[in-house]
Amino acid sequence: MVVKLETSLIKDWMGYKGRPFLISGPCSAETEEQVMETAKQLAMIKEVSAFRAGIWKPRTRPSSFEGVGIEGLKWLRNVKKETGLLVSTEVANEKHVYEALKYGIDILWIGARTSVNPFTVQEISDALKGVDVMVLVKNPINPDIELWIGAIERIAKAGITRLGAIHRGFSSYEKTSYRNQPNWQLPIELRRRIPDLPIICDPSHIAGAREFLHEISQKAMDLNFDGLMIESHINPEKALSDSSQQLTPNDLKELLSRLIMRNPSTSDPKLLDVLGELRQQIDVYDDHLLDLMEQRMKVAETIGRYKKENNITILQSTRWDEIVKRVMAKGQAKGLSAEMIDTMFKAIHQESINHQMKVMNNGITNQTNE
Ligand code: PEP
Ligand code: MN
């Protein structure tokens, strides 16, 4: 279902310097010199539209650096005056909103630890009533699309028209090379649910390490994201927060030069013809997949009837282990990723269990049904 927001979004505000709308700056404002020097170097990069710096830092552990507070807002105001860049910071309560607006901050963002909490988002929304400012809502730390949309709706209800979302990945117990799991299907689903909402990718907090920034940024561009928020610092090694994921402005420039920009669509009739034909083939395969699933579930239901008649449990762990091993080996040999095979077969298995449950609980038996 497509979400209708209670405000008409200004769709093209991110066209400030063309696509992508690029926000960069340090994770945290640390000193006046660090802020100004970083900003001056960023202002020389033509793609950079806005400067970011965290003033109040939500940290996981209490003894970490928690930001310079209001003092830093003056530094941001100076950045705006001296470089002409838009300036942005994170707000996590109504007091932050009032202070940031007082100092002329152009873009407020709501962090991942805040968008999980409807009380706090509502408090921020109430503080934003009647205010004309850009607001970006980061995804909550857990992969819950409804919670993300809910936070966006609350801000839209305040009448904010220059509204956007930031995809910064999702925290997970499973450790992988990235700090946060991208779960790209969530921002893709957000685009489907609110088509007019600009979506920015924050590769820094997904990556957690400089080396992955380029590949994540490229993926975001390939998926037609509207912008990027990338952390930068004049001396990343010395940064007081998120040191390993920040880039020098020079390295940012180099990363941008390697980004391949793609067009969201084409009007070339020849290309449209070829794409149309290939898409028809995809539709045929999708129909095949659905027919196969239908047949697979019929078999699962028959198995369910036998299980019911013989009074045995639906879940048979050893059989499931065998299936996983078999399809993993076969699927990977066909060039399919382990991640996709895992997700797909978990979903198929769950669906089979549901069908078998229905049989078990409906009293349908092989005798009565055949
Ligand atoms: C940040 O942008 O520095 C930050 C704290 O981000 P997040 O809310 O995504 O963790
Ligand atoms: Mn950070």
Side-chain angles (χ1 to χ4, degrees):
M1 189 194 47
V2 171
V3 173
K4 188 105 193 63
L5 293 179
E6 281 183 37
T7 187
S8 9
L9 299 179
I10 298 178
K11 278 185 246 170
D12 55 0
W13 63 267
M14 287 201 171
Y16 195 66
K17 284 194 187 171
R19 184 172 162 270
F21 182 81
L22 188 66
I23 306 172
S24 188
C27 177
S28 303
E30 297 164 8
T31 66
E32 189 164 9
E33 296 68 42
Q34 167 247 6
V35 165
M36 189 53 81
E37 193 44 39
T38 310
K40 279 186 177 160
Q41 292 187 23
L42 290 172
M44 293 193 298
I45 303 175
K46 65 176 188 318
E47 293 93 342
V48 177
S49 291
F51 181 75
R52 63 151 279 156
I55 299 299
W56 301 282
K57 297 303 298 177
R59 305 308 300 281
T60 305
R61 306 285 294 274
S63 45
S64 321
F65 169 68
E66 295 196 301
V68 293
I70 292 175
E71 181 68 7
L73 292 173
K74 297 181 191 153
W75 309 340
L76 286 181
R77 189 172 57 187
N78 288 342
V79 163
K80 186 174 166 173
K81 206 160 65 196
E82 295 220 5
T83 66
L85 290 172
L86 299 172
V87 288
S88 61
T89 200
E90 173 175 349
V91 291
N93 58 38
E94 61 176 358
K95 184 173 164 283
H96 293 167
V97 173
Y98 295 135
E99 293 298 341
L101 293 173
K102 207 157 77 190
Y103 286 87
I105 303 301
D106 303 289
I107 308 171
L108 309 179
W109 84 80
I110 297 178
R113 290 161 197 76
T114 305
S115 50
V116 286
N117 185 344
F119 287 126
T120 315
V121 177
Q122 189 56 48
E123 174 186 313
I124 292 171
S125 166
D126 292 342
L128 286 169
K129 279 224 166 70
V131 176
D132 183 20
V133 66
M134 295 182 195
V135 181
L136 301 172
V137 182
K138 285 201 175 194
N139 65 257
I141 44 180
N142 52 326
D144 183 338
I145 185 85
E146 300 304 328
L147 199 54
W148 196 4
I149 291 176
I152 292 161
E153 282 179 317
R154 283 178 200 278
I155 302 303
K157 272 176 188 269
I160 296 294
T161 54
R162 289 176 297 155
L163 184 58
I166 301 178
H167 167 234
R168 51 78 77 197
F170 303 88
S171 108
S172 158
Y173 180 69
E174 280 167 43
K175 286 291 155 242
T176 62
S177 36
Y178 290 170
R179 176 179 173 185
N180 287 296
Q181 302 311 303
N183 290 347
W184 294 100
Q185 69 278 17
L186 269 93
I188 291 171
E189 174 65 6
L190 180 65
R191 164 89 1 118
R192 193 184 71 77
R193 299 276 295 271
I194 319 180
D196 290 344
L197 186 77
I199 308 178
I200 287 183
C201 179
D202 171 349
S204 305
H205 290 89
I206 293 175
R210 278 180 278 285
E211 62 194 289
F212 304 124
L213 291 174
H214 178 266
E215 66 189 40
I216 299 168
S217 304
Q218 184 61 59
K219 178 124 189 185
M221 292 300 96
D222 295 348
L223 291 172
N224 197 23
F225 275 60
D226 301 276
L228 295 169
M229 180 192 250
I230 303 181
E231 288 185 339
S232 56
H233 192 290
I234 34 160
N235 191 354
E237 314 301 328
K238 292 270 160 64
L240 297 181
S241 59
D242 290 351
S243 163
S244 49
Q245 71 194 32
Q246 303 204 56
L247 287 178
T248 61
N250 251 341
D251 287 345
L252 174 70
K253 197 169 161 182
E254 191 271 333
L255 180 152
L256 294 172
S257 72
R258 285 189 291 131
L259 268 194
I260 302 165
M261 302 309 288
R262 306 186 204 279
N263 295 319
S265 58
T266 175
S267 53
D268 174 355
K270 254 205 212 121
L271 182 56
L272 282 174
D273 244 24
V274 175
L275 286 179
E277 218 168 276
L278 291 170
R279 283 171 177 157
Q280 270 178 14
Q281 287 182 30
I282 293 276
D283 288 349
V284 169
Y285 284 119
D286 284 348
D287 288 346
H288 269 321
L289 281 174
L290 291 173
D291 289 345
L292 282 174
M293 283 307 134
E294 187 190 15
Q295 288 175 28
R296 193 191 191 282
M297 293 311 147
K298 279 189 183 145
V299 175
E301 284 174 15
T302 307
I303 292 178
R305 283 180 208 120
Y306 282 110
K307 284 181 183 166
K308 181 184 166 72
E309 283 163 18
N310 294 287
N311 217 18
I312 52 176
T313 57
I314 288 179
L315 183 66
Q316 301 281 314
S317 304
T318 32
R319 169 66 183 146
W320 173 232
D321 284 347
E322 275 168 28
I323 294 181
V324 172
K325 271 202 208 103
R326 203 178 73 86
V327 296
M328 262 302 166
K330 257 196 141 158
Q332 283 182 288
K334 288 177 186 293
L336 303 173
S337 73
E339 192 194 355
M340 193 279 263
I341 299 166
D342 183 62
T343 313
M344 184 167 97
F345 276 89
K346 272 187 186 142
I348 293 175
H349 186 233
Q350 182 59 54
E351 183 73 7
S352 281
I353 289 177
N354 293 349
H355 279 256
Q356 293 194 11
M357 284 278 190
K358 222 168 48 196
V359 169
M360 283 253 180
N361 299 324
N362 274 351
I364 308 165
T365 63
N366 284 323
Q367 282 83 358
T368 55
N369 208 34
E370 252 97 75

